[in-house]
Amino acid sequence: HEDADFLVVDKPPLLPCHPGGRFFEHSLWFLLRERHEFLHIATRLDRETSGLVLVCLNKGSARRVSLLQRERRLKKRYLALVHGSFPDRLEAEGFLGPDAASAVRKKRRFIPSSACSGEAGTGLESCATSFTRLMAAEGLAFPGRGEKTGPFSLVEALPLSGRTHQIRASLSSLGFPLVGDKLYGLDEALFLRFAEGSLSPEDGERLILPYQALHCEALEFEDGEGCPLSFHAPLPAAWPAVLPK
């Protein structure tokens, strides 16, 4: 979608939203900057996360979207493919903070409110995500990668807050890591080898997908006239075709 105020882009996996480190020209910001003088990426996704991104094209629309986000009137729906048999429904309310047990400095952990015991005042960020299981499978056929043994679950994630790594860290801490997630997946040593450029073919078999199975499938908000807008993006081709779109 494109109008005078907004772009809504279906970002592929493995494309960063912003330039950083070794990624500059290979970024969504750089590609869009060739066509637009003003850009504000309002709903940023991780490099490996696919799906809908909302981009503001002027300062007025950026202010409006910022207000919608503060008032929680900008809704996002994610689909996540996870390891394990996920419960029917789970409300993950609590806090995010550094994972002191991790060798990776940027890794975070989710602490449920019931387990916090006064920790909330020690630099942790409050967060809340509503999870619903959409499908469960003991095995799935991944295009080009054959049949993989599960159990797997397809989960809907509705974030009620917008914290860094919120969905990934919450799912990992709850015991249902994302398929393909190097940092929050089955073994963070995969991330360390990835950072060194030394992932093996065996590592690729464990990961199953070359990127984390997290996709922003739907985005809803009101434009400057108060008219509701709703957008949807199909799953990437590497996800199993049997999953509901």
Side-chain angles (χ1 to χ4, degrees):
H1 172 82
E2 181 173 1
D3 59 32
D5 293 322
F6 303 107
L7 286 175
V8 180
V9 180
D10 183 5
K11 185 186 85 68
L14 304 179
L15 178 69
C17 279
H18 288 101
R22 55 182 173 164
F23 300 106
F24 185 76
E25 293 187 7
H26 185 71
S27 68
L28 180 63
W29 180 89
F30 183 88
L31 295 172
L32 296 178
R33 189 67 177 82
E34 295 179 340
R35 296 177 51 211
H36 300 280
E37 184 175 343
F38 180 94
L39 281 179
H40 172 66
I41 298 179
T43 60
R44 184 172 62 180
L45 299 178
D46 292 337
R47 183 179 75 92
E48 294 194 5
T49 301
S50 58
L52 295 173
V53 176
L54 175 60
V55 182
C56 300
L57 298 180
N58 54 64
K59 292 181 179 179
S61 63
R63 286 192 295 269
R64 287 198 298 274
V65 169
S66 179
L67 178 62
L68 292 176
Q69 289 173 315
R70 287 198 302 272
E71 296 179 347
R72 296 187 177 181
R73 292 192 289 133
L74 191 153
K75 307 295 184 183
K76 294 185 287 183
R77 177 182 186 256
Y78 288 81
L79 296 179
L81 184 61
V82 303
H83 294 277
S85 298
F86 203 85
D88 290 342
R89 189 173 178 83
L90 197 156
E91 301 296 328
E93 296 187 17
F95 300 88
L96 286 172
D99 186 348
S102 174
V104 183
R105 184 177 61 180
K106 68 178 181 179
K107 189 174 182 180
R108 315 187 86 194
R109 65 185 179 119
F110 168 73
I111 308 167
S113 297
S114 58
C116 242
S117 308
E119 285 188 89
T122 61
L124 303 182
E125 294 181 317
S126 62
C127 70
T129 313
S130 177
F131 294 106
T132 302
R133 187 186 69 204
L134 302 178
M135 177 180 172
E138 290 302 315
L140 288 172
F142 290 81
R145 296 173 184 269
E147 182 81 18
K148 301 296 181 182
T149 302
F152 300 107
S153 299
L154 180 68
V155 177
E156 175 193 71
L158 303 177
L160 305 178
S161 53
R163 306 300 189 184
T164 301
H165 296 180
Q166 176 175 318
I167 295 174
R168 298 167 62 199
S170 296
L171 287 169
S172 177
S173 297
L174 293 168
F176 303 98
L178 284 169
V179 170
D181 197 328
K182 302 170 186 69
L183 180 57
Y184 292 97
L186 297 173
D187 182 359
E188 72 172 33
L190 294 166
F191 177 84
L192 297 173
R193 290 196 288 276
F194 166 74
E196 296 170 351
S198 61
L199 278 178
S200 68
E202 292 75 21
D203 290 334
E205 286 296 315
R206 291 188 69 193
L207 287 165
I208 302 176
L209 291 177
Y211 47 79
Q212 61 212 21
L214 184 62
H215 178 74
C216 185
E217 186 272 339
L219 181 66
E220 297 180 5
F221 63 98
E222 294 180 353
D223 66 11
E225 304 299 322
C227 298
L229 298 174
S230 179
F231 304 94
H232 298 268
L235 290 171
W239 289 46
V242 296
L243 299 180
K245 304 298 189 289

